[in-house]
Amino acid sequence: MSATRTLAQARQAGLLALKGQQSSARLDVDCLLAAATGLSRSQILAFGERLLSYVEDEQFSALLDRRQRGEPIAHLLGQRDFIDFTLKVAPCVLIPRPETEHLVEAALEQPADRVLDLGTGSGCIAIALARAWPESTIHAVDYSTEALAIAQQNAQALKVEHISFFTGDWYEPVAQYRYDLIVSNPPYMGLNEPELQQGDVQFEPSLALTSGTDGLSALRQIIAGAAARLNARGRLWVEHGYQQAKAVRDLMAAHDLVNIETRYDLAGQERITGGRAQ
């Protein structure tokens, strides 16, 4: 097949297609062109006169069409950057977000020898902690076997070998263990929240997003079981909705955790709350 349009022409067409629809249109178009051509973003910008092959143009057009329909860019690329590494993602796992990087930062403030990540999904939290603490024992739990398969692939790709993965419902598969740190980004959206019909979450698994009518069911289970599974002075850190901070603090206090504090995300919203076992 003959060559079609240039990179610059394809890029401009992509920007027009996503204009007013995606706030990240420029970055999205460049990422899709990179996926279709194998070029870096800097090469796409520097060599705009380069002609796309027919196959490259067709692949770019197909990806662009899916993005126009709202499909997450992470699903189209099959990956998402998190902190300082790249993770494989798929529709069976929650797409890692910057808010969860704050959760990792809070967890890393005090070293822990034994760590539990509940609802690991892509494995982003467990892998980040394992990379920072190569001598620690890390356990990662998820109810979804599909999600665990992705997490294991990510750990293998990043050469992180000291994470043990467990299938099951929250603490159930690791009930015999005790930890210095429990960390979780559980589902925390209510079943009827309008955000479920907007943006990327339309394409993500409901199991990783919703938790009862008020969004607190999973958080209740995690917090209620934490003190009994933490070593003395062990810590629990959880991510939650920006309107749930007080409820989470109250739950932690009711379940024998102390030194409870809430951290803010980059948007200034209460997003991360932690407490310590006595």
Side-chain angles (χ1 to χ4, degrees):
M1 295 279 182
S2 60
T4 54
R5 52 189 170 174
T6 66
L7 281 169
Q9 290 169 334
R11 188 170 185 268
Q12 184 60 32
L15 292 173
L16 288 173
L18 297 183
K19 183 179 180 181
Q21 181 177 344
Q22 304 293 341
S23 60
S24 57
R26 194 174 302 277
L27 179 60
D28 288 356
V29 169
D30 290 348
C31 287
L32 296 181
L33 271 173
T37 63
L39 299 174
S40 67
R41 191 180 183 203
S42 60
Q43 288 173 319
I44 289 167
L45 297 174
F47 304 110
E49 73 282 0
R50 175 194 181 279
L51 289 169
L52 278 73
S53 70
Y54 178 82
V55 171
E56 290 171 339
D57 204 351
E58 286 288 293
Q59 185 174 355
F60 171 66
S61 295
L63 290 170
L64 184 64
D65 182 61
R66 291 168 64 187
R67 185 59 180 144
Q68 281 184 285
R69 294 199 298 269
E71 197 166 338
I73 193 73
H75 288 175
L76 299 179
L77 302 178
Q79 63 183 39
R80 170 59 64 90
D81 291 340
F82 185 76
I83 305 181
D84 61 350
F85 53 93
T86 301
L87 294 159
K88 175 182 178 179
V89 296
C92 63
V93 299
L94 192 70
I95 298 168
R97 289 168 167 80
E99 291 85 352
T100 307
E101 296 186 13
H102 297 311
L103 180 62
V104 172
E105 291 168 0
L108 285 171
E109 290 176 356
Q110 182 178 326
D113 291 330
R114 298 189 62 84
V115 179
L116 173 62
D117 173 22
L118 289 172
T120 195
S122 66
C124 60
I125 297 171
I127 290 169
L129 297 178
R131 283 162 60 90
W133 295 332
E135 303 302 319
S136 295
T137 297
I138 313 284
H139 289 173
V141 174
D142 205 287
Y143 190 79
S144 166
T145 55
E146 290 181 307
L148 276 181
I150 296 292
Q152 289 174 300
Q153 290 172 34
N154 281 325
Q156 292 167 2
L158 291 161
K159 296 181 170 54
V160 177
E161 300 178 352
H162 56 294
I163 302 176
S164 297
F165 294 92
F166 298 84
T167 306
D169 190 20
W170 303 123
Y171 296 108
E172 180 269 329
V174 293
Q176 69 270 38
Y177 300 106
R178 295 296 179 269
Y179 300 95
D180 304 308
L181 170 68
I182 298 172
V183 63
S184 181
N185 174 23
Y188 53 74
M189 298 181 73
L191 291 172
N192 299 313
E193 292 190 31
E195 289 84 356
L196 291 170
Q197 307 304 319
Q198 302 168 8
D200 290 355
V201 297
Q202 301 172 83
F203 297 86
E204 295 180 279
S206 60
L207 187 68
L209 292 166
T210 60
S211 185
T213 303
D214 61 1
L216 288 167
S217 294
L219 284 160
R220 289 190 184 97
Q221 293 181 64
I222 292 166
I223 294 168
R229 294 169 175 86
L230 285 168
N231 293 323
R233 302 184 66 81
R235 295 163 298 132
L236 169 68
W237 282 103
V238 296
E239 182 177 332
H240 51 73
Y242 70 93
Q243 295 177 316
Q244 296 172 329
K246 184 181 185 303
V248 169
R249 290 193 296 267
D250 290 345
L251 284 167
M252 288 188 178
H255 289 285
D256 301 321
L257 297 177
V258 298
N259 296 127
I260 298 164
E261 61 174 311
T262 295
R263 305 283 180 87
Y264 295 83
D265 61 21
L266 291 176
Q269 305 282 7
E270 293 184 310
R271 185 66 62 179
I272 309 296
T273 295
R276 178 175 61 77
Q278 302 184 54

